[in-house]
Amino acid sequence: MTTDLQTRTATAVFTGIGVTAPNGLGTEAWWRATLAGESGIRPVSRFDASGYPARLAGEVPGFEAADHIPSRLLPATDHMTRLALTAAKEAVEDSGADPAELPPHSAGVVTAASAGGFEYGQRELQALWGKGGQYVSAYQSYAWFYAVNTGQISIRHGLKGPSGVLVTEQAGGLDAVAQARRQLRKGSKLIVTGGVDGAICPWGWTAQLAGGRMTSVEDPARAYLPFAAEASGHVAGEGGAILVLEDAEAARARGARVYGRLAGYAATFDPAPGRGGEPGLRRAAELALDEASLAPSAVDVVFADAAGVPELDRQEADALTALFGPRGVPVTAPKTMTGRLNAGAASLDLAAALLSVRDAVIPPTVNVTAPAEGYALDLVTEARRGPVRTALVLARGRGGFNAAAVVTADD
Amino acid sequence: MNLKELTTLLRDCAGVDEGVDLDGDVLDVPFDELGYDSLAVLQVTGVIERDYKIQLSDDTVAEATTPRLLLEFINEQLGAAPVANAA
């Protein structure tokens, strides 16, 4: 029986992409900006950050909620949920699938999250403390909740099949997609997946600052410099990508346009703090390539996690060198144009990987002119043309989560 | 409180579903047909309790399934005349 299940759904393919990113609202706007090296990192505008040690952010430009979100949902949704709903609508429409035409309960939603609707939650908690319980919205009951994007996407698109939410910080954008694939292997036909995240508000800022990895550099062009000698931490951003993942046979049967396959995936944990030993990132990448039955030499580009913290950059550079050899593979970090998007980051990198395959081009890492001495990386600092058949996406979540996904052309 | 005041509050607190005309003859249309779930009704009754300084019973949301029924609960607490239609 297990064999039947595996042969029936051995392949999961991506058929839809929706993006809300700091350097572009909508897939094509974001992709154009990304290939042109246009950054969305600017001084924080969603709140007055002048009293905080980190004053830059990647904010989605030109997003007028009322233009994208039905009025019934406006009082009930945090900003990041509105971004997620906007990306999900774009992804579903892009896929050409009509969930209503699928067998009942065969389409679901699995997204990644980190904090839920922090901005909404902060406002309602301030109302509670400042004015009293009668001033707290009834919608606070779920608007702040980390599973809210999955629920709202499910309701809006009538996706009544399996659903879930993954919380593994920055690794979540890959882990959610892998969970979506598990649901396809169990018999679902289509899962809306990925991650859109954001907590650019005083509460979210305080929580992220406590992590100690945000840069205090104020020049947007010098703030987030992964793999550079001047790496000083990261800039936080909002947004991400929602993707439609389908059973390959189901996608073929309805004549869907396919961006690429999810050919391999693995997750590992780092050794417990103080234990020593090699971090788990290399092993995650190896396991993902093994599952895809591909040798490292088959990889055309790596989308790096790119922490921007020297020790973490060193670990990632070491893992890449161990796997591919010195300067053995093109490495890029388009997230230098968006900041780190928590649960949205790796899904956006998956979207970039799929479009790299489509357009035969690797998007650049910006602001980093060359990797620091000692990192033997072929860092792509200007868009690089050439066929891309296989991409490896890496992501690390705070707390020891590692995830790797292999995306390949579908032929 | 009349229907127009109630629909204004609904619009402010919970928005309006596409395809619903709240200015139409909705006095006896069930809230779920108007696109309002129980949480939306809870939100609007909470705001009314707060701003009109009245207390509605805990069963109001479950029992007040139409604008007419909700207005009856509200106006009873306000000590006002029974429901008049929209002005």
Side-chain angles (χ1 to χ4, degrees), chain B residues 1-2 5-7 9-10 31 41 44-49 52-57 60 64 66-83:
Chain B
M1 182 180 291
N2 62 30
E5 289 167 307
L6 178 61
T7 53
L9 284 164
L10 277 166
F31 281 119
V41 179
V44 76
T45 55
V47 167
I48 290 166
E49 284 183 302
Y52 289 79
K53 297 183 172 54
I54 58 171
Q55 190 81 47
L56 296 166
S57 106
T60 302
T66 65
R68 181 192 298 276
L69 291 169
L70 181 57
L71 283 166
E72 280 171 4
F73 281 110
I74 292 164
N75 285 326
E76 189 183 329
Q77 291 303 311
L78 287 171
V83 183

Side-chain angles (χ1 to χ4, degrees), chain A:
Chain A
M1 188 188 84
T2 310
T3 316
D4 279 356
L5 280 176
Q6 282 170 349
T7 45
R8 182 160 54 82
T9 59
T11 310
V13 295
F14 294 96
T15 58
I17 300 174
V19 168
T20 55
N23 58 341
L25 172 58
T27 303
E28 292 307 327
W30 156 77
W31 185 235
R32 237 187 346 265
T34 298
L35 291 181
E38 291 167 14
S39 172
I41 292 175
R42 293 180 194 87
V44 172
S45 74
R46 293 198 63 78
F47 72 101
D48 177 6
S50 59
Y52 293 79
R55 292 172 208 154
L56 298 174
E59 298 177 358
V60 176
F63 183 76
E64 294 295 332
D67 294 344
H68 301 277
I69 304 299
S71 85
R72 274 289 284 112
L73 286 176
L74 286 175
T77 44
D78 182 83
H79 176 62
M80 68 96 205
T81 298
R82 296 170 181 178
L83 294 176
L85 283 167
T86 302
K89 183 165 187 281
E90 184 183 23
V92 170
E93 288 175 357
D94 184 46
S95 77
D98 181 356
E101 287 180 1
L102 293 167
H105 306 288
S106 68
V109 189
V110 180
T111 66
S114 60
F118 251 42
E119 187 180 274
Y120 195 108
Q122 169 168 0
R123 188 178 67 229
E124 299 309 314
L125 286 175
Q126 281 177 318
L128 176 65
W129 295 329
K131 297 193 237 171
Q134 286 188 310
Y135 288 84
V136 177
S137 168
Y139 296 115
Q140 163 75 349
S141 56
Y142 59 65
W144 68 277
F145 187 43
Y146 63 87
V148 68
N149 291 357
T150 286
Q152 291 287 16
I153 292 168
S154 163
I155 293 166
R156 191 178 191 193
H157 294 282
L159 303 163
K160 298 177 182 173
S163 70
V165 60
L166 276 288
V167 181
T168 53
E169 213 255 332
Q170 192 97 1
L174 299 184
D175 293 335
V177 174
Q179 176 66 11
R181 188 179 63 167
R182 273 181 214 113
Q183 296 298 354
L184 297 179
R185 286 178 171 173
K186 288 181 188 171
S188 292
K189 300 295 179 206
L190 179 154
I191 304 287
V192 174
T193 186
V196 170
D197 207 353
I200 304 178
C201 62
W203 189 21
W205 231 233
T206 302
Q208 292 176 80
L209 281 163
R213 293 181 184 173
M214 287 171 88
T215 182
S216 57
V217 173
E218 293 194 52
D219 176 358
R222 305 307 301 157
Y224 176 33
L225 300 174
F227 304 115
E230 311 92 311
S232 61
H234 70 256
V235 172
E238 65 183 14
I242 298 293
L243 306 163
V244 175
L245 192 71
E246 277 188 79
D247 176 86
E249 282 179 25
R252 207 168 294 125
R254 69 175 184 85
R257 178 266 334 271
V258 171
Y259 286 106
R261 295 179 192 166
L262 178 58
Y265 160 83
T268 62
F269 289 111
D270 286 335
R275 278 276 177 83
E278 188 191 351
L281 187 63
R282 179 183 59 85
R283 195 168 143 69
E286 279 177 355
L287 291 168
L289 285 167
D290 281 353
E291 196 203 17
S293 301
L294 289 170
S297 59
V299 176
D300 297 309
V301 58
V302 175
F303 288 82
D305 175 63
V309 173
E311 186 193 350
L312 296 168
D313 288 348
R314 158 71 61 188
Q315 291 172 0
E316 185 164 32
D318 287 350
L320 291 172
T321 308
L323 202 53
F324 296 97
R327 295 177 187 80
V329 67
V331 175
T332 193
K335 56 170 69 80
T336 47
M337 290 173 255
T338 63
R340 287 175 75 79
L341 310 181
N342 290 327
S347 297
L348 191 62
D349 279 342
L350 278 176
L354 292 166
L355 296 184
S356 290
V357 170
R358 182 189 73 178
D359 295 345
V361 60
I362 298 171
T365 307
V366 301
N367 298 327
V368 182
T369 45
E373 210 173 306
Y375 296 168
L377 296 179
D378 172 14
L379 196 67
V380 177
T381 55
E382 290 191 7
R384 194 181 288 182
R385 298 275 159 193
V388 177
R389 298 194 42 81
T390 301
L392 173 67
V393 180
L394 301 178
R396 284 176 291 181
R398 197 185 177 87
F401 301 102
N402 302 284
V406 178
V407 169
T408 60
D410 180 57
D411 52 32

Side-chain angles (χ1 to χ4, degrees), chain B residues 11-65:
Chain B
R11 198 176 268 119
D12 291 348
C13 294
V16 191
D17 232 8
E18 282 168 46
V20 169
D21 178 14
L22 273 191
D23 298 323
D25 183 13
V26 297
L27 194 58
D28 293 306
V29 180
F31 281 119
D32 57 1
E33 284 180 29
L34 294 171
Y36 295 116
D37 55 17
S38 58
L39 203 56
V41 179
L42 182 68
Q43 172 66 8
V44 76
T45 55
V47 167
I48 290 166
E49 284 183 302
R50 182 187 80 202
D51 291 349
Y52 289 79
K53 297 183 172 54
I54 58 171
Q55 190 81 47
L56 296 166
S57 106
D58 288 346
D59 300 327
T60 302
V61 172
E63 292 174 10
T65 53

